[in-house]
Amino acid sequence: MSIFSTMYRPGGALLIGLLALPALADEPGGLVTGSFGDQPLELTVAPELSGATIIGNYADASLLAALMEGEQGPVNLDLTINGELPAPGEMALTITFARDMGRNWTGDQDSLTLTLDEFAPGDGIVAMRGTLTGQVSGGPASETRPVTFSFDTRLEELD
């Protein structure tokens, strides 16, 4: 019997975790981080409610990200992008604060600027990374607020 067979190896669990990372990285999901006015937000992408379709150079992508806890939660962010790559011309952003009815905010290509750093399909997953800046309008007093969001997502490629 070897002495090593009974010794605890703390690096073993770390090695197993590191080996699992590539498989997790290929799964749908991701994060959206940024600010709504002066409120910082970090939302998790719901993989079952997000997806992308690519036909030639045309892309149609939609993601839903949510923050369920904290002072602002529940908050939903819905982003839809349509158009020719690498710069799709149509987009729609909706931010909904569930605790305060009437606090829905929207923006589109007229009030927002989209920068796509990555939009790459592969093995049934579309990697989408970029930044969205501009203004959204709405809320109880029909105000306008600045937004900046960065997203790093993996979306299921839909037929």
Side-chain angles (χ1 to χ4, degrees), residues 8 25 70 84 86 90 97 103 139 149 156:
Y8 173 69
E84 295 286 327
E90 295 180 31
F97 290 83
R103 287 193 61 201
F149 289 108
E156 180 180 355

Side-chain angles (χ1 to χ4, degrees), residues 41-86:
L41 291 174
E42 182 172 308
L43 304 107
T44 303
V45 174
E48 62 279 358
L49 300 173
S50 304
T53 301
I54 301 171
I55 301 171
N57 286 337
Y58 185 85
D60 182 6
S62 177
L63 68 87
L64 178 72
L67 169 67
M68 299 310 291
E69 299 176 5
E71 287 182 28
Q72 298 98 353
V75 178
N76 290 327
L77 181 146
D78 185 11
L79 173 62
T80 304
I81 300 168
N82 299 324
E84 295 286 327
L85 293 173

Side-chain angles (χ1 to χ4, degrees), residues 129-152:
R129 187 171 42 89
T131 306
L132 187 66
T133 57
Q135 296 184 346
V136 291
S137 301
S142 297
E143 303 170 62
T144 300
R145 293 207 181 154
V147 293
T148 300
F149 289 108
S150 294
F151 49 91
D152 187 356

Side-chain angles (χ1 to χ4, degrees), residues 76-112:
N76 290 327
L77 181 146
D78 185 11
L79 173 62
T80 304
I81 300 168
N82 299 324
E84 295 286 327
L85 293 173
E90 295 180 31
M91 71 187 95
L93 174 69
T94 302
I95 304 171
T96 305
F97 290 83
R99 285 192 184 166
D100 188 4
M101 296 308 275
R103 287 193 61 201
N104 297 338
W105 301 79
T106 59
D108 60 20
Q109 62 275 0
D110 295 332
S111 63
L112 299 166

